[in-house]
Amino acid sequence: MVDTIHYRQFEPADTEACRALVLQCIDQFTGVDPEAQPKLREKVRHAHYREELPKFYCVVAVADDRIVGMGAMDNGHVARMYVSPEHQGHGIGRRIHEMLEAEARRQGIRQLTLEASLNSVAFYEHLGYKSVQERIWRLEGAQIRNVIMTKDLE
């Protein structure tokens, strides 16, 4: 079930669709205490995406007029990488990352960093990232584990 995917830069009108995509993906995170899931969802609902995303270089993947993937970068920090569960495994995340990486190179950035959820570490390793450190952070007392990763651009 691979629809025709179109890739383009984020537009402010995409804000709510991007927020909905993140909410759709949160339940797949591993390394998150069960009590943290609703707190993460609430944080996303109140996130300042409308103000934040336009400041980043942000790419969306669109299938049938629906945003099915997104990724953002700010000064070499990759963030907000999500692909809807039903579209994972079809190269959408890889293509979004290629676009972010091309922009980083254009900006003269020599290294990318990101914080990967535990279930996405293998994906980023496949893209050439190296694990630097596992990190535990807390959200209102709930524990969330992720991995800081870097990729040198040559």
Side-chain angles (χ1 to χ4, degrees):
M1 180 273 295
V2 180
D3 305 319
T4 301
I5 308 295
H6 301 280
Y7 300 88
R8 61 173 172 75
Q9 279 193 266
F10 168 87
E11 299 168 358
D14 298 330
T15 300
E16 291 310 313
C18 288
R19 185 188 321 267
L21 174 64
V22 175
L23 288 169
Q24 184 182 14
C25 295
I26 281 177
D27 293 335
Q28 293 188 323
F29 290 173
T30 55
V32 179
D33 286 348
E35 63 270 13
Q37 290 288 15
K39 293 173 184 180
L40 274 174
R41 296 179 75 75
E42 193 63 22
K43 183 176 180 182
V44 169
R45 281 190 193 93
H46 291 93
H48 300 286
Y49 282 22
R50 187 171 311 282
E51 294 82 24
E52 178 184 285
L53 290 177
K55 294 177 185 175
F56 297 164
Y57 177 78
C58 186
V59 175
V60 295
V62 182
D64 296 324
D65 296 322
R66 184 174 142 237
I67 292 178
V68 298
M70 68 179 285
M73 180 191 62
D74 183 35
N75 294 320
H77 183 77
V78 175
R80 309 289 187 261
M81 283 285 295
Y82 297 99
V83 175
S84 69
E86 67 268 22
H87 287 85
Q88 291 176 7
H90 298 290
I92 295 170
R94 180 178 29 81
R95 179 65 186 123
I96 290 170
H97 187 274
E98 288 170 354
M99 294 172 76
L100 298 177
E101 190 172 315
E103 177 63 15
R105 290 177 192 281
R106 189 190 71 70
Q107 292 179 17
I109 294 169
R110 300 183 106 127
Q111 185 180 66
L112 296 176
T113 62
L114 57 82
E115 297 173 22
S117 61
L118 298 184
N119 56 306
S120 65
V121 170
F123 168 75
Y124 290 115
E125 287 175 340
H126 183 72
L127 295 177
Y129 281 83
K130 304 286 185 224
S131 296
V132 174
Q133 152 186 8
E134 187 169 314
R135 184 179 86 129
I136 298 173
W137 60 282
R138 299 200 181 282
L139 177 61
E140 297 176 23
Q143 181 174 294
I144 300 170
R145 294 173 35 220
N146 62 14
V147 178
I148 298 171
M149 303 182 80
T150 62
K151 178 179 181 176
D152 291 329
L153 302 179
E154 300 169 15

